[in-house]
Amino acid sequence: MTSQNVPAVEIRGVSKVFNPGGSNEVLALEDINLEIAAGDFVTLIGPSGCGKSTLLRLVAALVGSSSGEVLVNGKSADQARLDRDYSMVFQKAGLFDWRNVARNIELPLELMGWRKSARHRRSTEMLELVQLQDFARHFPQQLSGGMAQRVAIARAMSFNPALLLMDEPFGALDEMTREHMQNEVLRIWSETNTTVIFVTHSISEAVFLSTKVVVMSPRPGRIAAVLENHLESRDDTARDSPEFFANVSEVRKLLRAGEN
Amino acid sequence: MKQLSNFVQIWPPLVATAIALGSWEFLLWITQPDGFVLPPPTEIAAAVGENFATITTATRVTGFIIVTGLVAGVLLGITAALLVTTFRTANETITPLAVAINAIPIVALAPIFNFWFGLLSPRSNQAVVVALVFFPIVINTARGLTEVEPSQIELMESYGVRKWRIIREVRIPNAMPFFFTALKLATSLAVIAAIVAEYFGGRQDALGNIITSSAGLTRYADAWAAVLAGSLLGIVLYGVAVLAERVTMPWYFLARRS
Ligand SMILES: Nc1ncnc2c1ncn2[C@@H]1O[C@H](COP(=O)(O)OP(=O)(O)OP(=O)(O)O)[C@@H](O)[C@H]1O
Ligand SMILES: [Mg+2]
């Protein structure tokens, strides 16, 4: 479907002004340029209010840009949304309480008009992917935070989107669950060849997960630096490797520099 | 079946009722108050027995008014809530109207409704029930339709679906618990509305009329028998609402984690 030459995401000279002309006008993003290749794992990191979520929403065409251009798979972001080229995961799992786990995962497939048997086959596969085979008939209220977030990821991946947009998906999880989920997401990423844009506040999370760390600075939101992040491996030994620590302190330095 | 277990726990209230009735009877027996203002339960039971046909007819007549008024008020309320939350102009016209209707002491309008619909017509009683039921249903249902987690709406938008699909898949199920809270409240409101409206007019063989005419003739046991029939109607309707809630939203009654 997606040719290897077309970047997964191209952001060219994008600015975003909320409430233009109003007394509460906010310049959320200014002159953003970013190119994301297919298969990349890109994290956006920066202080609160620097426009990370806004940038993600621009790629998702949930808000429009004030100027500049956002292309997803070579198409306008809005066309990509209608073509279901991407999927989103939020900080809150956002599962629907009235649907059991399997039917939550099948929701996008239902909206796309998949047949019941195909949907069922798919949700079973997805439950295996996130290792929740035994919970198909459970309801969201019966899940822990980490399990609910895994269901949200399974739902997002159910229709094989080329691009996965994640806004602080593990922000509400405890440290242990969080590390476990990071390993899960890396496994899913390497198994499925998806492009990921991942928003986080955690420097170590950004360095552990991504092939590219985009450091943002606030007022107005700008890209301060882009760090190519090559790690030998991405398993638990990587968390203790010298290159991991080197890149963590590099990102920290860039964040500090952006604040002044 | 497990979810029904709390519902089936009817023994404690039954025992409590028996104790209450027993002490009521006993207190009147030892104090022997003048007059018949508060007759003992046995006398009321006897009145029910004597006037069984009259009471059952009256219960059917009033029950019909309550149920039809309740259904009409609920349907109107749901429709208004959907309009209010879907279209901005509807919100700007219906919401002030609903608030205005709620500000009117509806029951006080009963005599005026009698003038509109005819003194002996049950229509005026139904109208009072509809008007009283309408407001809590609109307000609660509208809240349930709007108070949706914003990221859930964004999620649906990211799937590129239309507004009506979001209403069907997210807003309506989200509103269900709110709606049922209002419905349970509405059942008791409907009983009160119907009986009080019947004090002023409507069919002569209805519960409200029996209460006023019996009390006027100092036949207090008969009046109490009619009151008892009214509360039975209320209990049954409330039970039906609770059952409907359990059946339509089993997910809502699952034991919550943590
Ligand atoms: N819908 C909106 N209307 C008006 N202003 C907005 C809106 N959304 C975001 N903003 C403003 O844009 C700026 C960037 O917000 P954004 O949510 O993108 O930041 P963020 O980097 O995701 O922050 P956080 O790390 O706290 O999630 C903020 O100043 C915010 O107040
Ligand atoms: Mg954010």
Side-chain angles (χ1 to χ4, degrees):
Chain A
M1 276 207 319
T2 0
S3 107
Q4 285 301 315
N5 313 328
V6 180
V9 178
E10 283 175 272
I11 300 167
R12 296 208 204 102
V14 163
S15 300
K16 176 65 189 176
V17 183
F18 284 107
N19 313 313
S23 59
N24 49 354
E25 184 179 292
V26 181
L27 178 55
L29 291 170
E30 190 178 62
D31 194 27
I32 302 289
N33 291 283
L34 185 65
E35 191 172 306
I36 297 172
D40 264 355
F41 196 126
V42 174
T43 48
L44 307 180
I45 192 166
S48 192
C50 71
K52 305 180 293 294
S53 298
T54 304
L55 189 54
L56 213 62
R57 282 181 172 75
L58 279 164
V59 175
L62 292 174
V63 297
S65 60
S66 305
S67 61
E69 189 180 33
V70 180
L71 297 178
V72 176
N73 291 334
K75 299 175 266 194
S76 76
D78 207 47
Q79 189 56 48
R81 178 175 69 99
L82 296 174
D83 292 350
R84 280 130 180 181
D85 283 357
Y86 71 84
S87 212
M88 294 196 83
V89 179
F90 301 90
Q91 178 166 359
K92 284 193 180 165
L95 302 179
F96 296 107
D97 284 346
W98 46 90
R99 287 173 167 259
N100 67 22
V101 165
R103 292 202 58 230
N104 262 290
I105 296 173
E106 289 169 24
L107 173 71
L109 310 178
E110 254 178 73
L111 299 173
M112 292 175 196
W114 284 37
R115 296 178 51 176
K116 193 171 177 176
S117 55
R119 290 201 311 255
H120 179 74
R121 221 174 306 129
R122 200 41 187 280
S123 65
T124 312
E125 279 172 33
M126 285 298 122
L127 282 167
E128 267 164 38
L129 184 71
V130 296
Q131 293 166 350
L132 287 173
Q133 296 89 316
D134 299 335
F135 292 87
R137 301 195 168 279
H138 281 60
F139 279 81
Q141 286 169 358
Q142 301 171 301
L143 305 177
S144 70
M147 287 157 88
Q149 203 52 274
R150 262 143 75 195
V151 176
I153 292 170
R155 172 176 65 186
M157 300 295 293
S158 63
F159 57 97
N160 269 334
L163 176 64
L164 188 58
L165 306 175
M166 307 177 92
D167 196 348
E168 298 185 46
F170 310 145
L173 304 180
D174 63 86
E175 191 65 22
M176 291 293 293
T177 316
R178 196 178 174 122
E179 287 194 355
H180 178 69
M181 294 296 292
Q182 290 167 357
N183 294 338
E184 292 273 295
V185 144
L186 279 177
R187 180 176 58 79
I188 293 167
W189 171 63
S190 61
E191 281 175 18
T192 57
N193 234 327
T194 315
T195 311
V196 181
I197 308 182
F198 189 108
V199 172
T200 181
H201 275 129
S202 157
I203 300 172
S204 59
E205 182 166 78
V207 173
F208 180 65
L209 290 177
S210 48
T211 56
K212 229 181 212 180
V213 181
V214 175
V215 179
M216 297 180 66
S217 60
R219 281 168 308 244
R222 286 205 180 105
I223 293 181
V226 178
L227 179 86
E228 297 290 336
N229 179 45
H230 295 292
L231 299 182
E232 286 287 314
S233 69
R234 292 190 191 273
D235 48 25
D236 279 329
T237 58
R239 293 185 197 273
D240 299 320
S241 67
E243 54 191 346
F244 176 79
F245 289 115
N247 287 355
V248 163
S249 62
E250 179 68 22
V251 171
R252 186 175 296 124
K253 230 177 284 164
L254 291 168
L255 279 168
R256 293 256 165 83
E259 278 186 0
N260 311 319
Chain B
M1 275 305 98
K2 207 175 165 189
Q3 290 118 322
L4 282 176
S5 63
N6 327 354
F7 188 66
V8 181
Q9 282 177 3
I10 52 173
W11 290 111
L14 279 186
V15 172
T17 311
I19 292 174
L21 288 176
S23 20
W24 172 2
E25 183 88 36
F26 180 71
L27 273 175
L28 289 180
W29 181 67
I30 51 169
T31 56
Q32 298 282 342
D34 288 341
F36 301 92
V37 179
L38 185 64
T42 43
E43 206 170 302
I44 296 173
V48 173
E50 273 166 40
N51 307 304
F52 193 70
T54 323
I55 296 284
T56 39
T57 309
T59 308
R60 215 170 22 233
V61 169
T62 303
F64 178 77
I65 286 165
I66 294 170
V67 171
T68 48
L70 189 62
V71 169
V74 165
L75 290 181
L76 274 177
I78 291 174
T79 311
L82 280 168
L83 287 174
V84 162
T85 50
T86 314
F87 306 106
R88 225 169 102 205
T89 41
N91 187 15
E92 282 156 10
T93 48
I94 296 179
T95 308
L97 194 71
V99 173
I101 290 177
N102 187 51
I104 304 170
I106 303 295
V107 170
L109 281 187
I112 298 171
F113 283 179
N114 284 331
F115 173 68
W116 289 357
F117 295 104
L119 184 62
L120 299 181
S121 162
R123 283 287 161 72
S124 64
N125 303 348
Q126 284 168 318
V128 174
V129 175
V130 171
L132 224 69
V133 161
F134 179 70
F135 187 75
I137 297 283
V138 185
I139 295 301
N140 277 279
T141 310
R143 260 190 70 193
L145 290 170
T146 41
E147 282 183 12
V148 178
E149 177 64 39
S151 66
Q152 292 189 332
I153 299 292
E154 282 201 324
L155 183 84
M156 294 299 279
E157 283 172 349
S158 79
Y159 295 138
V161 297
R162 290 176 194 284
K163 196 172 168 180
W164 70 266
R165 198 74 202 259
I166 299 182
I167 293 175
R168 212 182 80 192
E169 298 287 351
V170 185
R171 294 191 184 276
I172 290 179
N174 190 70
M176 295 295 267
F178 294 80
F179 165 74
F180 276 111
T181 303
L183 182 66
K184 286 184 279 182
L185 174 72
T187 55
S188 6
L189 278 178
V191 175
I192 297 169
I195 291 181
V196 173
E198 284 165 357
Y199 290 170
F200 299 97
R203 287 178 57 155
Q204 293 305 293
D205 52 355
L207 287 176
N209 270 299
I210 293 189
I211 294 171
T212 41
S213 57
S214 305
L217 298 170
T218 68
R219 289 163 53 177
Y220 290 110
D222 291 2
W224 278 103
V227 170
L228 188 72
S231 27
L232 269 179
L233 275 175
I235 291 167
V236 168
L237 283 172
Y238 189 86
V240 168
V242 169
L243 202 65
E245 185 182 34
R246 295 265 166 175
V247 169
T248 40
M249 316 190 294
W251 50 269
Y252 190 71
F253 296 94
L254 295 171
R256 275 156 206 269
R257 232 190 118 96
S258 78

